[in-house]
Amino acid sequence: MQRMPNAIQLTELTHDDLLALYAYPAGPAEPWIRVNFVSSIDGAVSVDGRSGGLGTPADKKVFRILRDLADVVVVGAGTARAENYGAAHTDSQLRIRLHHHGFGGDAAGAPPRIAVVTATATLDPSSRLFTDTGARPIILTTAAAPEDRKAALTAAGGQVIEAGDTSVTAGGLRKALEELGMRRVLCEGGPALFGDLIVAEAVDELCLTLSPMLVAGTERRIAMSPNAMPTPMTCRHLIFDQDGTILTRWVRPHTL
Ligand SMILES: NC(=O)c1ccc[n+]([C@@H]2O[C@H](COP(=O)([O-])OP(=O)(O)OC[C@H]3O[C@@H](n4cnc5c(N)ncnc54)[C@H](OP(=O)(O)O)[C@@H]3O)[C@@H](O)[C@H]2O)c1
């Protein structure tokens, strides 16, 4: 039987309380893959193809905190394209403070790097990902991706890494991040990448915001895959905001 999770009112929490509630395990020995999503209460992952319509103040607050705590933000190319991803812009003073307290962050206050997962290296070298000032983007791609595209992304400033033959495997992703010294991993989706990670049994944690709205339509759910992999998870906390937003954190039991 699962322990009852902590059910907390957001108004009772300070910013430091939230940092503690979302802290990664101390000094993870290998990459810890945390996934973050927001969903409507009827399961939609976007409104008109973007997730922004689901965001609430509480979700945005936790979204920022999760980036502040991470070494790297991993995202599928579909999401990077749909959401026009740029560099992560985090609080440099907070990142320094987190580093000094052993919670991640960065000694110099640098933001986490963005790592885009793409089988085909189909990214626009002139997109925000490469032009937004910030840390150099990492492109996790495959041996099969066209060489000219990989060369163009390298020329645009990306660090191109092959992490699989025809798709980026969970093992390839972990190895690449481990070699870069990045163990506090924040995956911001999307559904196809999350589905692949679930099926590969590579997800250590899910932070899921339930946004208090119904959407209907033909929007996707948070994980999609041709295969299913039922994976029991343990609830670590539920945080309620006054507008009805529920912030949840779920951890895979063997990683507790
Ligand atoms: N509500 C939320 O929190 C949230 C979060 C994220 C995304 N979204 C929404 O989700 C939608 C995007 O969905 P999506 O399924 O297209 O997203 P996705 O998983 O971000 O992108 C799919 C693409 O990512 C690449 N990819 C994924 N897994 C891969 C793997 N294992 N190996 C190699 N490449 C891999 C492939 O790129 P290539 O085609 O380049 O090879 C694939 O076509 C958008 O509407 C976005 O707004 C919502």
Side-chain angles (χ1 to χ4, degrees):
M1 195 176 11
Q2 290 199 10
R3 269 189 315 117
M4 282 296 286
N6 292 324
I8 314 162
Q9 296 296 323
L10 184 61
T11 50
E12 293 170 4
L13 298 173
T14 64
H15 191 261
D16 278 0
D17 290 336
L18 281 170
L19 286 170
L21 281 166
Y22 284 101
Y24 283 84
E30 55 186 40
W32 173 277
I33 299 186
R34 160 182 285 169
V35 179
N36 183 39
F37 269 96
V38 58
S39 162
S40 67
I41 48 177
D42 63 337
V45 78
S46 56
V47 179
D48 296 330
R50 308 269 308 250
S51 59
L54 298 169
T56 63
D59 177 61
K60 287 176 184 146
K61 181 182 273 191
V62 168
F63 180 90
R64 283 193 296 269
I65 282 175
L66 297 185
R67 283 189 164 196
D68 283 329
L69 287 164
D71 295 335
V72 62
V73 176
V74 176
V75 66
T79 299
R81 291 187 287 257
E83 308 274 353
N84 192 21
Y85 257 60
H89 297 285
T90 45
D91 178 339
S92 59
Q93 290 307 313
L94 175 60
R95 297 266 298 163
I96 292 169
R97 185 160 66 89
L98 288 169
H99 180 79
H100 285 314
H101 289 86
F103 283 110
D106 184 82
R113 290 175 70 185
I114 301 284
V116 180
V117 176
T118 169
T120 57
T122 309
L123 295 168
D124 179 354
S126 65
S127 65
R128 259 189 87 223
L129 187 64
F130 300 94
T131 58
D132 192 14
T133 54
R136 187 180 178 206
I138 300 162
I139 312 302
L140 295 172
T141 190
T142 62
E147 292 301 330
D148 57 339
R149 286 194 204 154
K150 289 186 270 198
L153 300 182
T154 303
Q159 182 176 4
V160 175
I161 300 173
E162 291 178 2
D165 294 333
T166 55
S167 71
V168 173
T169 61
L173 178 113
R174 281 180 178 282
K175 181 167 174 284
L177 298 178
E178 174 78 61
E179 284 174 3
L180 291 168
M182 298 169 169
R183 294 186 177 163
R184 295 177 181 86
V185 181
L186 171 62
C187 174
E188 293 183 343
L193 178 58
F194 186 29
D196 283 356
L197 293 174
I198 292 173
V199 169
E201 299 184 85
V203 176
D204 295 305
E205 173 178 345
L206 171 66
C207 297
L208 174 65
T209 299
L210 281 178
S211 183
M213 65 176 78
L214 299 171
V215 171
T218 56
E219 308 296 343
R220 318 185 77 188
R221 47 192 283 260
I222 65 171
M224 303 289 295
S225 165
N227 306 306
M229 175 58 75
T231 307
M233 301 291 278
T234 297
C235 187
R236 294 299 292 270
H237 68 233
L238 302 170
I239 303 174
F240 297 88
D241 196 12
Q242 289 166 326
D243 66 0
T245 302
I246 308 175
L247 303 165
T248 72
R249 182 176 177 217
W250 306 84
V251 178
R252 202 146 55 106
H254 85 84
T255 54
L256 282 172

